[in-house]
Amino acid sequence: MTGPAAKTDASALLRALAARESPHGRVMAVSMMKDEAPFLLEWFAHHLAVGFTDILVYTNDCSDGTVEMLQRLEALGLGYHRPNNIREGIKPQPSALNHAQIEPLVGQADWVLVFDADEFLSINHPSGTLDGMLDDAVARGANGIVITWRIFGSSGIIDWSRAPVTEQYTHAAPPLWNKGWGVKTLFRFDPAYWKLGIHRPTIKNKHLDTDFPQTVKWLNGSGQPMEEYFTFRGWRSIRRTLGYDWAQMNHYAVKSVDSYAVRKFRGNVNNKADKYNSDYWALQDRNEVEDRAILRHAPRRAEIMAALMEDPVLNRLHFAALERVEARLADYRKTEAYQALRDGLVAASAVPITQVEAKPPKARDPAKIAELMSRVEKKVAEKPVSERRNTPVEGWNAEDDGTYLGVADDLAPDGTCDWVSNHDIELPADARVFTPVALNALLKGRFDRRNARNIEGYLEGCNRLLDIGCGIGFVAMRAIARRRDLVVMAQDRRGGLIDLAKRIAARNNLTDTSRLKLSDGKLVFANEPDDMASGLAAYLRDFRPDVLRLSETTHLPPARLATCDLAGIRRVILPFDRDADAENLRRSYNKVLAGKGLVEVVERAASGSLQFDRR
């Protein structure tokens, strides 16, 4: 719709946004910017869409219309602009925070979140809104939410585009990539008690030894309690506190190659001289996982953006900013410097995630930390570890969330992922295949580590292994790589995993089908329609294994194993992850296997699998 009616609707929407109230009071975003005009309206519209009632932006040294756009937004009642007057010797970011600390608007806010212009808050909470997330947080007695970054890369895009940032860049680092675990904190602000910080606020010294720290109850990004140490210090999540179920902070630090060049034109808000180089690009250009969660906000953001563009002043400033930067970029593209930058960044994009290096933090000074610790913090630190630490969040962030994602067919990697050596077997670090926990282990070279280490011992004295539910066949491949006399039939009913297993075998030069056979043939049992080509009876009869390994016991539960003829089997191996799993396996399989003449070798359980040998 265009014309007078559209303008009337746009004006009504902007008036409603200007008058918006939250049941949680004033929920304020505080940011700082330098020459962000081409991206400003999307950023503003997005954060109005998720539910901020107030947005305050500090600027320094702008020359592209950013200040004028913010002034117009303030005139429309949609936000506030303040100049970041910087004293000599102070960096722009800390300077802006010092101003915000004493700004009456911030002091009157109920909830405050400090974040940057290249960061977009994604509300993953079922409500999809700040208000809904705060409803749940307040109901749990919380007064803060610690929101972890997701590092979003270029998605392989090189050329400049006017398309929205959140729609162009939809690929990110894996959730468990700990180099991307910086945080931003949404919290109840009282300037008498808190000093603002870029990642989290800190309690003012005079309140450290009072009862105030005990009133701090912060949740992580999945709505679970943060650990007590974070009340006092820390700016990153750790494995036990990580969570994205409620919220994540999408960090678009690089965008496309051309956008990166534009950022080099104007420098950065914190005056870091070496920030925009190839090393920084390699660190931030992570595209291993597709993540479109933020697009739930796209319709509302687009509606607000369209309303903003109906304002003639914002419209003129927005397009003037785009045309200005595009003209400058067009000139830059003609230079050798641009080509060198482009080539360098494309090369940096090829750096595997396993080889990316981040500058290490400054070394800790234990004596200084001890001196700074308040009485309350020392009391927390003296508690037993079990009382200081949280149980890992259930769900995707649990310690054991399985190995493979629930995708049955299109699992094979597309050639863009890294290959990482795990016990001398190269595996693809493909986030479409592996759960976050499994992917994290793979990236560290620890995939299925205990079974890979011990499989030789479990196969001692045996020469023909039938591995049921083998997944990608990793343990089977590890076994034949170590045992030249071993022959393996590895089966899994998930065809996508077997297809991937074949690629992995080829990658590792394990394609000798006389030694390794990979099959996605189903297991058919006595009470089901017979299919001699794919039934378990056929595997046992034609392959003639002397050892049966149930990598995935759900493929062959006890009742069905009881119907099988195991006369030729000398050994059965049942791997497990936890001691409790071992006990469950014993209760389920002992009787069935004993009835077939196989008894447990109890001492073998210490190596991660139950072993049953024929008497």
Side-chain angles (χ1 to χ4, degrees):
M1 182 170 61
T2 59
K7 291 184 178 180
T8 301
D9 290 345
S11 298
L13 174 56
L14 296 184
R15 286 196 302 271
L17 289 169
R20 184 186 177 278
E21 297 180 353
S22 166
H24 301 285
R26 301 183 69 175
V27 185
M28 173 170 280
V30 176
S31 191
M32 52 287 299
M33 298 184 182
K34 178 180 179 180
D35 284 352
E36 291 286 351
F39 310 105
L40 176 59
L41 291 188
E42 181 194 354
W43 185 90
F44 230 87
H46 174 84
H47 291 105
L48 289 172
V50 300
F52 284 99
T53 63
D54 298 85
I55 301 176
L56 169 63
V57 178
Y58 289 87
T59 61
N60 62 282
D61 304 322
C62 291
S63 60
D64 70 342
T66 297
V67 170
E68 291 79 5
M69 294 172 80
L70 289 168
Q71 289 172 337
R72 180 57 180 168
L73 287 164
E74 182 163 0
L76 293 171
L78 299 173
Y80 304 94
H81 169 255
R82 297 289 185 270
N84 184 8
N85 298 316
I86 304 171
R87 290 185 295 145
E88 186 176 352
I90 304 294
K91 290 184 177 180
Q93 217 170 45
S95 172
L97 293 175
N98 289 339
H99 290 309
Q101 184 71 34
I102 58 174
E103 165 62 48
L105 289 171
V106 181
Q108 294 162 13
D110 295 280
W111 294 79
V112 172
L113 178 63
V114 177
F115 58 107
D116 296 335
D118 60 2
E119 297 171 340
F120 285 69
L121 178 62
S122 176
I123 303 294
N124 301 335
H125 184 272
S127 68
T129 65
L130 266 173
D131 283 349
M133 183 171 72
L134 288 173
D135 286 343
D136 274 357
V138 171
R140 299 183 187 193
N143 45 34
I145 303 173
V146 179
I147 303 167
T148 306
W149 275 337
R150 289 299 307 279
I151 302 298
F152 279 73
S154 67
S155 288
I157 299 171
I158 293 177
D159 296 331
W160 171 267
S161 171
R162 294 186 176 188
V165 169
T166 53
E167 294 182 15
Q168 287 190 74
Y169 310 110
T170 57
H171 288 77
L176 292 181
W177 188 57
N178 61 9
K179 290 182 176 65
W181 285 355
V183 303
K184 297 298 168 88
T185 308
L186 173 66
F187 71 108
R188 282 193 182 275
F189 181 56
D190 185 334
Y193 289 90
W194 290 105
K195 180 175 174 57
L196 293 172
I198 192 60
H199 292 283
R200 47 80 52 76
T202 55
I203 301 172
K204 291 187 173 181
N205 289 340
K206 64 183 178 180
H207 300 296
L208 284 174
D209 287 327
T210 69
D211 292 335
F212 178 73
Q214 299 174 34
T215 69
V216 178
K217 301 185 185 304
W218 288 353
L219 306 178
N220 74 349
S222 287
Q224 302 298 318
M226 287 295 291
E227 296 192 354
E228 289 185 83
Y229 80 89
F230 202 86
T231 300
F232 306 98
R233 63 188 79 251
W235 65 274
R236 303 175 76 252
S237 289
I238 59 175
R239 181 67 179 80
R240 296 187 305 277
T241 64
L242 186 66
Y244 294 114
D245 294 342
W246 279 15
Q248 63 190 49
M249 186 62 77
N250 287 14
H251 191 189
Y252 303 95
V254 293
K255 304 184 180 75
S256 68
V257 169
D258 282 355
S259 292
Y260 201 61
V262 168
R263 298 193 73 171
K264 286 177 71 71
F265 293 159
R266 56 96 165 145
N268 60 86
V269 76
N270 221 16
N271 289 346
K272 292 183 179 179
D274 63 343
K275 182 171 183 179
Y276 297 119
N277 56 30
S278 294
D279 289 342
Y280 183 78
W281 177 275
L283 176 68
Q284 300 290 343
D285 186 30
R286 305 318 324 165
N287 304 285
E288 287 76 15
V289 181
E290 186 175 39
D291 187 328
R292 294 176 173 268
I294 200 168
L295 296 184
R296 74 185 302 184
H297 306 301
R300 179 63 170 166
R301 183 258 303 150
E303 181 185 16
I304 295 172
M305 182 79 172
L308 294 174
M309 294 304 294
E310 290 291 339
D311 178 75
V313 178
L314 288 176
N315 186 292
R316 173 178 57 82
L317 290 168
H318 177 69
F319 284 107
L322 290 173
E323 291 163 6
R324 186 183 304 112
V325 76
E326 287 167 358
R328 189 173 182 187
L329 184 59
D331 289 338
Y332 184 47
R333 280 175 166 168
K334 300 172 185 176
T335 67
E336 293 182 1
Y338 171 80
Q339 191 60 51
L341 174 69
R342 178 174 175 145
D343 291 347
L345 297 185
V346 169
S349 293
V351 175
I353 195 170
T354 53
Q355 297 177 20
V356 171
E357 295 184 4
K359 289 184 178 179
K362 292 181 179 179
R364 292 186 176 187
D365 184 338
K368 186 174 182 180
I369 290 176
E371 181 182 346
L372 291 173
M373 288 176 71
S374 68
R375 172 180 54 82
V376 178
E377 189 175 357
K378 288 177 180 177
K379 186 176 180 181
V380 169
E382 290 168 358
K383 288 183 177 182
V385 171
S386 60
E387 294 182 24
R388 285 185 273 135
R389 294 183 174 180
N390 294 341
T391 300
V393 179
E394 293 184 1
W396 71 269
N397 195 33
E399 291 288 356
D400 176 22
D401 66 348
T403 301
Y404 306 107
L405 295 174
V407 183
D409 296 319
D410 184 22
L411 284 178
D414 58 9
T416 61
C417 64
D418 301 334
W419 287 77
V420 182
S421 178
N422 282 254
H423 300 279
D424 302 320
I425 303 294
E426 287 198 353
L427 300 177
D430 194 328
R432 297 168 302 164
V433 176
F434 303 100
T435 61
V437 169
L439 182 62
N440 192 50
L442 190 157
L443 288 169
K444 294 178 179 179
R446 300 173 182 173
F447 183 78
D448 207 359
R449 177 170 55 174
R450 185 160 66 163
N451 288 319
R453 282 177 174 173
N454 298 317
I455 188 61
E456 281 186 271
Y458 282 108
L459 297 178
E460 186 176 357
C462 300
N463 299 102
R464 299 181 69 83
L465 166 66
L466 174 58
D467 192 356
I468 300 296
C470 69
I472 59 170
F474 168 62
V475 173
M477 293 182 208
R478 166 71 174 172
I480 67 166
R482 301 287 293 181
R483 284 271 309 273
R484 304 293 300 177
D485 62 333
L486 184 69
V487 180
V488 176
M489 170 72 77
Q491 178 274 349
D492 199 292
R493 63 192 176 198
R494 295 164 289 188
L497 290 180
I498 291 298
D499 288 342
L500 179 54
K502 292 176 181 177
R503 292 194 181 199
I504 294 170
R507 174 87 177 198
N508 290 278
N509 297 316
L510 298 172
T511 54
D512 183 353
T513 55
S514 67
R515 298 191 61 220
L516 175 64
K517 308 171 192 296
L518 297 165
S519 172
D520 61 358
K522 296 179 181 179
L523 304 180
V524 181
F525 300 93
N527 59 344
E528 297 176 343
D530 193 17
D531 180 352
M532 295 304 291
S534 60
L536 179 61
Y539 283 118
L540 295 171
R541 181 189 67 241
D542 298 338
F543 180 64
R544 303 186 309 281
D546 54 6
V547 57
L548 173 66
R549 185 175 190 266
L550 303 187
S551 292
E552 179 61 69
T553 55
T554 58
H555 286 42
L556 191 54
R560 290 189 165 180
L561 184 62
T563 68
C564 299
D565 181 3
L566 302 183
I569 298 294
R570 295 171 51 196
R571 180 173 298 160
V572 172
I573 302 169
L574 305 178
F576 59 85
D577 293 322
R578 297 168 297 185
D579 290 343
D581 296 331
E583 289 304 316
N584 289 335
L585 287 173
R586 284 192 180 98
R587 284 194 294 270
S588 300
Y589 285 89
N590 259 357
K591 185 175 180 180
V592 169
L593 292 173
K596 294 183 177 294
L598 294 152
V599 296
E600 184 184 357
V601 182
V602 177
E603 60 270 19
R604 298 294 292 138
S607 297
S609 294
L610 301 185
Q611 177 176 319
F612 295 82
D613 283 357
R614 187 163 297 283
R615 280 178 277 195

